[in-house]
Amino acid sequence: IEREHFPKLMNILRRVDRGIRLTEDDIVWLTTKDDMYGYYTTELRERYHENEAEFYAGEFKKRKDPWFAVNASSHYRKCEKAKTADSMLNAISVSRLKNIKLKSALCTTHGGVKRDLGKHNEALALGEQAHKLTPKDFRPCTLLGAVNMETGNHSLGESWYKKSIERGASEKSVDNDLRSIFMRAEQDKQEELRAYLLGKDPDRYSWVRMSPQKKPRGNR
């Protein structure tokens, strides 16, 4: 740790450790310094999201406003607590809500949770429900693109990603999504996705050539 950064970084670490939420300035500082010094570690990032999730979940319990559950779910997913998010979202009766955007947001975030838990059919159903509710929103399209890509339905996944970009998602965010899916995939699915992407656009997806092959399970 650079000497001039030590007091601020230690202050951040102590607050995070005590469950105190970080400010926007803290996050900007961490992400700015991370490229050079690597201060915003995976552990710190997960603890930050855990604190945020607990805050929004607490607000949801107090105020009964489902928008807080949407925010909590997003943070729970980023700290590997999809099961906690699933339990919270299961307690909300979406059919009783009147706000269309809220219903769509709940379906989309719950679909993402189901995706994290490997329940792809449920994730697809929730994504399709969200898309019907808000057909001009890119978020359900992104979810449906990701789940289809993960399950090997590459053409369908690509079509949903195209719809996502048409509705406002950036090409960069879609490519980052694909990169994440590729890196997490088992070797056989990884090779299938590599071949598909290179066949579609070898320049745009040139990174799959450089990505290391995933070793089969059991190899050491």
Side-chain angles (χ1 to χ4, degrees):
I1 301 173
E2 296 297 306
R3 181 174 292 182
E4 65 269 29
H5 301 156
F6 189 83
K8 184 174 182 67
L9 183 58
M10 290 306 297
N11 177 268
I12 287 173
L13 292 175
R14 290 189 185 101
R15 281 185 285 137
V16 168
D17 195 45
R18 297 205 307 269
I20 298 172
R21 299 175 71 207
L22 298 182
T23 66
E24 259 187 61
D25 288 342
D26 292 328
I27 299 301
V28 169
W29 186 85
L30 282 169
T31 51
T32 301
K33 301 300 180 189
D34 193 51
D35 286 341
M36 189 173 295
Y37 303 106
Y39 293 158
Y40 201 23
T41 63
T42 300
E43 293 83 0
L44 176 54
R45 191 178 289 110
E46 286 186 0
R47 187 57 185 269
Y48 158 72
H49 286 297
E50 184 178 353
N51 289 345
E52 289 296 295
E54 291 300 322
F55 168 78
Y56 285 114
E59 291 298 299
F60 171 57
K61 288 178 183 176
K62 285 190 292 185
R63 305 190 193 189
K64 309 301 180 185
D65 183 346
W67 279 114
F68 287 114
V70 173
N71 289 329
S73 174
S74 175
H75 287 289
Y76 275 132
R77 292 185 63 201
K78 292 172 183 174
C79 63
E80 307 294 329
K81 290 196 171 185
K83 286 185 178 180
T84 304
D86 192 37
S87 297
M88 176 184 63
L89 294 170
N90 280 333
I92 300 172
S93 179
V94 176
S95 61
R96 294 184 179 181
L97 300 174
K98 295 181 180 179
N99 186 313
I100 299 298
K101 286 185 178 180
L102 174 57
K103 291 173 75 167
S104 177
L106 284 165
C107 288
T108 303
T109 195
H110 206 172
V113 168
K114 296 295 187 183
R115 175 193 168 198
D116 292 347
L117 296 173
K119 298 179 179 180
H120 295 118
N121 289 336
E122 292 180 51
L124 288 170
L126 285 161
E128 288 165 2
Q129 185 179 345
H131 179 62
K132 287 178 183 177
L133 288 165
T134 54
K136 294 183 179 180
D137 188 352
F138 70 86
R139 295 168 187 83
C141 300
T142 301
L143 169 64
L144 290 166
V147 178
N148 277 292
M149 280 293 183
E150 283 182 341
T151 54
N153 298 316
H154 300 142
S155 295
L156 188 55
E158 183 188 15
S159 69
W160 278 113
Y161 273 137
K162 283 182 179 178
K163 290 177 184 178
S164 177
I165 292 172
E166 289 168 1
R167 287 158 174 74
S170 68
E171 188 175 280
K172 182 180 179 181
S173 69
V174 167
D175 286 356
N176 287 339
D177 217 26
L178 283 168
R179 190 188 296 265
S180 177
I181 290 168
F182 179 82
M183 296 305 295
R184 291 198 311 269
E186 293 300 321
Q187 188 186 30
D188 56 341
K189 288 190 177 291
Q190 199 177 71
E191 291 308 312
E192 289 172 7
L193 184 54
R194 189 197 304 271
Y196 181 82
L197 293 176
L198 289 176
K200 283 292 178 179
D201 193 332
D203 293 324
R204 178 179 172 183
Y205 304 118
S206 60
W207 52 267
V208 298
R209 290 197 189 95
M210 298 176 283
S211 298
Q213 288 191 346
K214 197 164 188 174
K215 293 181 180 179
R217 285 185 177 179
N219 286 13
R220 294 184 182 275

